[in-house]
Amino acid sequence: MTDITKPPFENILITGAAGALGSVLRDSLRPYAEQLTLSDREPLGDVRANERHFVCDLADRNAVFDMIKGVDIVIHLGGAPRENTFQVILDSNIMGSYNIYEAARQEGVKRVIYASSVHAIGFYECTQTIDANVPQRPDSLYGVSKTFVENLSRYYFDKFGLESVCVRIGSCFPKPIDRRMLATWLSYEDFSHLCIQSIMTPSVGHMIVYGNSNNSANFWDNSQAAYLGYRPKDSADAYRAEVYANTPVGDPRNPAVRFQGGQFAADGHFEDSKTK
Amino acid sequence: MTDITKPPFENILITGAAGALGSVLRDSLRPYAEQLTLSDREPLGDVRANERHFVCDLADRNAVFDMIKGVDIVIHLGGAPRENTFQVILDSNIMGSYNIYEAARQEGVKRVIYASSVHAIGFYECTQTIDANVPQRPDSLYGVSKTFVENLSRYYFDKFGLESVCVRIGSCFPKPIDRRMLATWLSYEDFSHLCIQSIMTPSVGHMIVYGNSNNSANFWDNSQAAYLGYRPKDSADAYRAEVYANTPVGDPRNPAVRFQGGQFAADGHFEDSKTK
Amino acid sequence: MTDITKPPFENILITGAAGALGSVLRDSLRPYAEQLTLSDREPLGDVRANERHFVCDLADRNAVFDMIKGVDIVIHLGGAPRENTFQVILDSNIMGSYNIYEAARQEGVKRVIYASSVHAIGFYECTQTIDANVPQRPDSLYGVSKTFVENLSRYYFDKFGLESVCVRIGSCFPKPIDRRMLATWLSYEDFSHLCIQSIMTPSVGHMIVYGNSNNSANFWDNSQAAYLGYRPKDSADAYRAEVYANTPVGDPRNPAVRFQGGQFAADGHFEDSKTK
Amino acid sequence: MTDITKPPFENILITGAAGALGSVLRDSLRPYAEQLTLSDREPLGDVRANERHFVCDLADRNAVFDMIKGVDIVIHLGGAPRENTFQVILDSNIMGSYNIYEAARQEGVKRVIYASSVHAIGFYECTQTIDANVPQRPDSLYGVSKTFVENLSRYYFDKFGLESVCVRIGSCFPKPIDRRMLATWLSYEDFSHLCIQSIMTPSVGHMIVYGNSNNSANFWDNSQAAYLGYRPKDSADAYRAEVYANTPVGDPRNPAVRFQGGQFAADGHFEDSKTK
Amino acid sequence: MTDITKPPFENILITGAAGALGSVLRDSLRPYAEQLTLSDREPLGDVRANERHFVCDLADRNAVFDMIKGVDIVIHLGGAPRENTFQVILDSNIMGSYNIYEAARQEGVKRVIYASSVHAIGFYECTQTIDANVPQRPDSLYGVSKTFVENLSRYYFDKFGLESVCVRIGSCFPKPIDRRMLATWLSYEDFSHLCIQSIMTPSVGHMIVYGNSNNSANFWDNSQAAYLGYRPKDSADAYRAEVYANTPVGDPRNPAVRFQGGQFAADGHFEDSKTK
Amino acid sequence: MTDITKPPFENILITGAAGALGSVLRDSLRPYAEQLTLSDREPLGDVRANERHFVCDLADRNAVFDMIKGVDIVIHLGGAPRENTFQVILDSNIMGSYNIYEAARQEGVKRVIYASSVHAIGFYECTQTIDANVPQRPDSLYGVSKTFVENLSRYYFDKFGLESVCVRIGSCFPKPIDRRMLATWLSYEDFSHLCIQSIMTPSVGHMIVYGNSNNSANFWDNSQAAYLGYRPKDSADAYRAEVYANTPVGDPRNPAVRFQGGQFAADGHFEDSKTK
């Protein structure tokens, strides 16, 4: 019989904890662990009860190994949050995520929840309904780094049995603010719910799940992650009239309108201005 | 910033506007265009504010080119509404639809919403759940003409970028009146909603969507048109007891019971009585 | 015009009628037939109005032929309900079901609803979302017998036109009592609803449908049986907190946690202790 | 026991018999029928032994009905062989083919072999390997008419049991003369072989098969027509060096290079110059 | 380093060894084992060097356990070779095969090669090209028993790791003698080759492979068993003219012509004459 | 008309040119370019006619940009050729390949042929036949880096139109030397042939192709790259007897026997010995 006076996990690490999504989980995951370990490059404010704070760069291997000791669940949100130079992507997202996975493996972490992104598949057209098994089609170097971690986590599961849920987050903001977000919007509450399902499901293996709310317009078929039991409760539809009133009708030939990645699919290469 | 005092489109043409479905859209699309252009072979009654009327045969190329000038959206409902001689099908549905598409291309129409039909796929069995990518299996010459326009519209998108949504309408009537319609019924309100989603979605490319209400019994998987955000609100289930009381139990070996097209799949060839 | 003062069927036979599921259907199917024929190896209690009772072994061919005379619908629940020796499985499930199908064919039964089981596909992992067309992967000799009857019923439809709906029942109990049942639980009411849809749908051919309630966590994609119009109304989610409180967190490497069949997939062979 | 002194069919009708492909079959099908009926708009030259000639327009219904009497197999090659005005396509390909199918049905023809075309699917990219079940994507009005007849023949099989093999012919010429034909070339001998297999296979239902030779480069997966036993013996590879020497390297962004339909996919609309 | 003076296996058991296929393997497998164990209900003739003979009924559990001791590979050909009463099928094919698998598991056999049949999928139409993952569609009680053993062997692999290759044999005879066999014929040499590949491939898990020769006409896609490296060398095509001369043209509406199972799919139920 | 006295390309860059595969292409690609640019970290020996040599580290951005000027085709073989520490993988394979692609884009290279590997999908089982669209399943950090470049090249095509062919090379050696290589072996001649097809095909977009010879045993379905016209001429079968004689029978439960990646899938993590 489980001791129901105790939370189900001992220590949940949240990386990128100072960001908007990290702040959301800092509250909502509190009942699920005896201790929360929070990590970010930026200061995390006051240390609340049952929290540990680490201000560090994930590219610093020793720092990552230190903070992961005793952790049983990792929620990995840290890294560059949008397109950047390849060097920044390499350090923050590729090296940083490798350190997380290698430390998790060596320290016996049970499961990692990874904040992947729509930009891992941003070059599919909005009119294509895709599931989690389609070949990745990143729309940016940022998106390429997301596919890197998805594949790295697959490797850690196949070889070492370290479970992962990779959540391809659409647009996680307080509310949808353009017409594309009528499909991609993920409310903060639904994001929390999805993370909680991801840690509470008995067996997840290696799974990829799309993260958007219960929006009428949708690009994604989440049926392959049905065992997670994710049932979003919010909907971008509540903001439809407001979005229509505030945003222009797009041209369907514009890549930002045509592709799931939106503006990321339309932007020139980040380093164009720097080279040649 | 969009001028929210203006409707999103300048001029929407509805062909077949004198029919039941045309009448429904004549009301529900009013807020979406500054002007409605209505066309039919039959008189359309009084001209309401912001309407233009054209009484013409769609097989008349010049008439079609005249009325399409200045139109940005076409809702193409016109043509023979059920099985007929091949000559009638040829003139009304094949030649008529070609004229609509060719005029739309030359006059710069943005998008066509085409009233296709269950009869484009009416020879699938009721027990088969099909999506929009299955090979067409028409159940009548009428159904063959529906597949013709679906393919013609695909061509106009692939070569000229003219967008289309082809709606395979089930049974669009005030209420379901036989057991098959418990699956195929499309309420007038849901039909309006589907048309509005089809014109308001930023990018549709060439899309095929099934048109039925939120009926428990269903043949169709609309997931490939998920970006349209179509969420029917009515359901044939409300009429289930009434239908059971008024209609006999069918024999599953009867083609009208076995196939999605119902009676169309069972009927002998329209011209049987005329030839030989 | 149907005589609405009469139920739609003349005589529904329920095998295994003394069990929990049989008792449920004994009540809920009453309005659908003029007479219920109930069969079990155990006594069935008082004979209610419009009931016929047969206490017999389904392996007894003559007894099966006797009781099936005049029946138009069979709900076949009878047989060994869990793993057993091969001889018991052979007699109760294989021979017994053959007798039911052969008698149904010879006596002109219209349709059989067969109680198949999750154990016909119990060796798929919980993280796999499967539809009804995946190859069978039984988790026990009991499960192998379920696949036998599924294939036998396919044969009777393909060759003789005898229709069947095979319901792969998850966990049909008063409420879910372990973490796996949060996905597999089927309430008694939803089970009744599914059986009623299975007999009232005009044409079913040979169909396989998964039987669970409207649980957030799910392994199964029922879209191929959409024509049945099965819409479960209960959900294991209502019992989630209770289940979490009363059951331990499982190890995802344990076959009972990892596979859809649960403990059946983990158990050693039933006859291990008896042989050698 | 079959009388082996007799050919397997009584009367094979070849439409479009004066063209290059018709001439090929006029020779190769001779042993397969007691009589060949040849039809074309152009004169067919001397009448050889066991031949009947009809010079007629397929849009002439009575003429078609006359010549099809007594025929058991139709090889339907007739109609406009490339892009044209819609009126020509409508008369020659749509009306003409309807007359063929309707006459075949009424006169009890056993099977029709229809010369469809790569242009029925010409808007797939060369880098896509497609089978016969992909949605049609015509590259021209000519191609749209080919999809019309494919669907018309599907209807005649589903409703009346009239069997058809639709052969999507690539480039049937004496030899490949551009780089695209290294994939699409169909030799005359292989074309004959494919037609012979199509008439000799015991059961074909409604089948679509791609028609190209055994070329190393290929767009098409013919596995769905495996029962035809089509095994091409020629290969465009024998002409590869010659083609490379005589043709320029194409630009992969040119539609004529990028799409399976080649130049048809690149050409502006046939009627562009005529209208407006 | 392997001792190349020794055959790769110690003891191969062939059941049904007195039949035509058993006789073929008795010769061709000789180099692959130090000892051959041969079993049949009929006498097996003279005992050759390195052979053991068992004349027994496979339904006799003790006899099966006795003869399987020391065996590392089983080639299971034994059982009723065609349609029969259900009781015969039950004893010979279902009980007999269970005994083989259960004995194999308990005695540590490495791998079983099972002679399944086209009749496990005989109700697919000849015009359908199927792979090994399609749902089984048996054409007879015999075919149902073949699907039983396929599923039983899947269970023994999933739960106990006992590997199996199930060979769906088409028509294994000296030469093809009817038009259907132009697709289904499997020469004796190709059968031997397929069995040898099945035992020599390093890892087979649970695999289903179709067994026919390199015939131009074909129903089956063997790509899912590509690792076996089966490349048939014979072809029914060599007998095509002979078959055409000796057999009539079939009617495509005859089930024996239309379905892959041929006459099995057309025959009435074996027990029709016995019952009622 | 093409000038047939000139090779089709101006300047082909081969990275990793000092290795075995580079040496093969150095000879075979000579007729296809006016100049070969060869790059490696190791000296490349004598400079032959029409060659340019660069000894450099691909992680050196400036060196890569220098040598790529004037190149129209890149054959990218360079980088760490097997498992290594993550730092080596990061520098040699990830940073190095990024430099190649970014330089190719900026300098207007037409097409890149990338030497990917079986280790990008090494965790599929040998018994699974996979095509190029399955999700990647790398078996090592080396394999993860291969998936990184596959996705990076997809991004460069989707956003910038830079074409790539990614060749998942099996085992490219003088001859197969273990049982797994009976499936994965790629002869030097077939490798050259595949590279030549990859540069000569008019349009390749972004394509993934498996690289093995015409071996009877096979894991891979190359049909999605059919347009390349790759037809291997060698076969591992010629070495089968030799391999059997020299290598032991494997245990199918050993990951090195069970998985497509062979020993890479079985090896512990490269850095295991260094950490903790």
Side-chain angles (χ1 to χ4, degrees), chain C residues 61 65 69 83 86-87 90 94-95 98 102 105-107 123 132-141 144-145 147-148 151-152 154-160 263-272 275-276, chain E residues 61 65 83 86-87 90 94-95 98 102 105-107 123 132-141 144-145 147-148 151-152 154-160 259 263-272 275-276:
Chain C
R61 179 186 177 96
F65 271 72
K69 280 191 211 315
E83 189 60 324
F86 187 67
Q87 191 60 53
L90 197 70
I94 291 179
M95 181 54 101
Y98 170 74
E102 182 58 15
R105 174 178 83 83
Q106 293 195 26
E107 297 297 335
F123 259 122
N133 272 347
V134 296
Q136 295 145 326
R137 295 185 71 170
D139 57 19
S140 52
L141 295 175
V144 173
S145 79
T147 71
F148 171 85
N151 290 336
L152 183 75
R154 174 91 237 181
Y155 162 69
Y156 272 91
F157 176 67
D158 280 343
K159 186 161 272 178
F160 306 110
Q263 195 58 40
F264 278 54
D267 281 341
H269 205 252
F270 193 86
E271 295 174 282
D272 280 0
T275 50
K276 297 210 46 166
Chain E
R61 179 186 177 97
F65 271 73
E83 189 60 324
F86 186 67
Q87 190 61 54
L90 197 71
I94 291 178
M95 182 54 103
Y98 170 73
E102 182 59 14
R105 174 179 82 84
Q106 292 195 26
E107 297 297 334
F123 259 122
N133 272 347
V134 296
Q136 296 144 325
R137 295 185 70 171
D139 58 19
S140 52
L141 294 175
V144 173
S145 79
T147 70
F148 172 84
N151 290 336
L152 183 75
R154 173 90 237 183
Y155 162 68
Y156 271 91
F157 177 66
D158 280 341
K159 185 162 272 177
F160 306 111
F259 293 109
Q263 195 57 42
F264 279 53
D267 281 342
H269 205 248
F270 192 85
E271 294 174 282
D272 280 359
T275 51
K276 298 228 17 168

Side-chain angles (χ1 to χ4, degrees), chain B residues 61 98 106 264 271 275, chain D residues 61 98 106 271 275-276:
Chain B
R61 179 187 177 95
Y98 170 73
Q106 292 195 26
F264 278 53
E271 296 174 282
T275 51
Chain D
R61 179 186 176 96
Y98 171 73
Q106 293 195 25
E271 294 175 281
T275 51
K276 295 214 43 167

Side-chain angles (χ1 to χ4, degrees), chain B residues 13-224:
Chain B
L13 165 63
I14 302 173
T15 70
L21 276 59
S23 300
V24 166
L25 296 185
R26 189 177 176 180
D27 290 336
S28 59
L29 293 187
R30 183 165 300 277
Y32 291 86
E34 296 185 38
Q35 191 168 49
L36 286 183
T37 300
L38 306 178
S39 149
D40 208 296
R41 298 177 66 165
E42 306 299 324
L44 287 143
D46 294 340
V47 178
R48 303 180 199 163
N50 303 327
E51 285 186 351
R52 294 191 306 162
H53 289 196
F54 288 81
V55 176
C56 73
D57 187 334
L58 298 181
D60 176 346
R61 179 187 177 95
N62 290 335
V64 169
F65 271 73
D66 277 355
M67 75 181 173
I68 222 163
K69 281 191 210 315
V71 162
D72 43 1
I73 297 281
V74 174
I75 314 281
H76 178 34
L77 313 174
R82 65 186 66 83
E83 188 61 323
N84 210 314
T85 64
F86 187 65
Q87 191 61 54
V88 168
I89 296 292
L90 197 71
D91 292 341
S92 300
N93 293 13
I94 292 179
M95 181 54 102
S97 296
Y98 170 73
N99 285 339
I100 289 287
Y101 270 90
E102 181 59 14
R105 174 180 80 84
Q106 292 195 26
E107 297 297 334
V109 166
K110 289 177 182 162
R111 192 176 289 175
V112 179
I113 313 305
Y114 173 61
S116 186
S117 165
V118 54
H119 301 294
I121 46 78
F123 259 122
Y124 284 94
E125 305 199 17
C126 294
T127 55
Q128 294 179 282
T129 302
I130 60 175
D131 65 22
N133 272 347
V134 296
Q136 296 145 326
R137 295 186 71 169
D139 57 20
S140 52
L141 296 174
Y142 169 76
V144 173
S145 78
K146 292 291 166 178
T147 71
F148 172 84
V149 185
E150 289 183 356
N151 290 337
L152 183 76
S153 62
R154 174 90 237 180
Y155 163 67
Y156 271 92
F157 177 67
D158 280 344
K159 185 161 274 177
F160 306 111
L162 176 56
E163 292 193 303
S164 281
V165 177
C166 299
V167 182
R168 289 181 178 162
I169 296 171
S171 307
C172 198
F173 294 107
K175 65 179 190 181
I177 55 174
D178 64 29
R179 292 183 184 218
R180 173 177 158 273
M181 287 194 198
L182 294 176
T184 58
W185 185 60
L186 174 66
S187 76
Y188 289 155
E189 281 219 38
D190 285 336
F191 175 62
S192 277
H193 165 53
L194 178 47
C195 289
I196 291 167
Q197 293 302 107
S198 296
I199 63 178
M200 292 298 289
T201 294
S203 161
V204 299
H206 181 269
M207 205 181 271
I208 292 175
V209 60
Y210 291 100
N212 62 345
S213 284
N214 181 24
N215 314 320
S216 291
N218 189 17
F219 314 141
W220 301 325
D221 170 0
N222 254 337
S223 61
Q224 286 161 301

Side-chain angles (χ1 to χ4, degrees), chain A residues 98 106 264 271-272 275, chain F residues 61 98 106 159 271 276:
Chain A
Y98 170 73
Q106 293 196 24
F264 278 53
E271 295 174 282
D272 281 359
T275 50
Chain F
R61 179 185 177 96
Y98 170 74
Q106 293 195 25
K159 185 161 272 177
E271 296 174 281
K276 296 213 44 165

